[in-house]
Amino acid sequence: MFEGRPERGAEVVLVGRSNVGKSTLMRELTGKQFSTGGKPGVTRSPNHYDWSSHDFVLTDLPGFGFMEGVEADHREAIKTNIVHYLEEHADSILVGVVVVDGKSVVDIIDRHSGPDEIPHVVELFYLFEDLGIPCVVAVNKMDKVDDRDDRLDEVCDRLGLYPPWKQWQDTVAPITAKRGSITPLTDAVRTHLHDAGRDDLFQFF
């Protein structure tokens, strides 16, 4: 199990496959540098960022999925630990952010969809729903996507959300974290924080 979580009553978590830009997004949100690398799987344990004067923590959970040089058993253990973490802290988590790569997410979902297989991204999206946690899908690296609206419609379709994507702006947020273009995400997160009666946390988003 993951250890070292600060004792905080409110939390926003980032989850997603390896190399989708979660650590870059954390840097944009906090102004603090986190370990990133060209090699997937750099983040093996959670990165917690908390503000000592506030009862709030922002958490970047480890990436999951294929990682070069990482044993399959270890990859599965990371995924299991992520699920346990979300279940254990569900009462404190105000928003779950699933970060995906806008260029590859549809192909990855399609590749892992089958009668006996649910893609991890889709599984996580519905896990948040089952746990009663509002979920925002941050579709990152949109600067590399040509057919923007079509791609976002496809993402909605794969998640069981009826397109067009623009009716789901509290759930689907196109961003480019590397360029600091994350306003659709912060707007969506603020919507859910407001619904939870936590406008005091707007200063962090």
Side-chain angles (χ1 to χ4, degrees):
M1 272 296 287
F2 300 138
E3 296 173 354
R5 179 187 183 272
E7 285 299 319
R8 296 289 183 265
E11 182 173 14
V12 170
V13 297
L14 308 183
V15 297
R17 292 178 67 87
S18 302
N19 237 26
V20 294
K22 288 187 295 84
S23 298
T24 303
L25 180 55
M26 275 288 277
R27 187 180 66 227
E28 282 301 315
L29 290 168
T30 64
K32 183 185 174 190
Q33 183 72 44
F34 291 88
S35 298
T36 62
K39 241 172 67 172
V42 169
T43 308
R44 300 288 179 86
S45 57
N47 279 321
H48 300 288
Y49 192 81
D50 68 320
W51 291 261
S52 55
S53 57
H54 292 81
D55 186 27
F56 173 66
V57 61
L58 181 64
T59 300
D60 171 21
L61 290 170
F64 57 81
F66 176 75
M67 291 172 258
E68 195 171 338
V70 179
E71 296 290 330
D73 287 354
H74 185 68
R75 295 200 301 268
E76 277 304 307
I78 288 175
K79 199 182 120 196
T80 301
N81 285 342
I82 289 170
V83 171
H84 286 164
Y85 183 95
L86 297 176
E87 291 174 340
E88 183 178 348
H89 301 293
D91 290 345
S92 303
I93 300 172
L94 300 176
V95 187
V97 179
V98 178
V99 186
V100 299
D101 182 330
K103 198 167 173 64
S104 62
V105 61
V106 173
D107 290 341
I108 288 171
I109 288 175
D110 289 351
R111 195 183 319 142
H112 292 280
S113 295
D116 302 315
E117 188 176 18
I118 300 174
H120 293 344
V121 168
V122 177
E123 194 175 6
L124 273 172
F125 181 75
Y126 284 105
L127 174 63
F128 280 120
E129 186 177 276
D130 290 346
L131 294 173
I133 300 169
C135 180
V136 179
V137 179
V139 189
N140 194 21
K141 307 185 184 181
M142 287 301 291
D143 57 319
K144 298 179 180 176
V145 174
D146 299 325
D147 50 346
R148 178 186 171 91
D149 286 341
D150 289 345
R151 180 61 48 85
L152 294 168
D153 285 349
E154 287 181 313
V155 171
C156 283
D157 178 67
R158 301 311 191 273
L159 295 173
L161 305 174
Y162 193 74
W165 77 272
K166 286 185 178 174
Q167 65 182 328
W168 300 103
Q169 291 186 58
D170 294 345
T171 305
V172 175
I175 63 170
T176 301
K178 193 169 66 175
R179 294 187 178 177
S181 176
I182 62 170
T183 303
L185 171 63
T186 54
D187 285 350
V189 170
R190 284 180 170 208
T191 297
H192 298 302
L193 293 178
H194 176 73
D195 291 345
R198 294 304 303 266
D199 290 15
D200 59 303
L201 299 179
F202 279 15
Q203 61 189 298
F204 304 119
F205 295 95

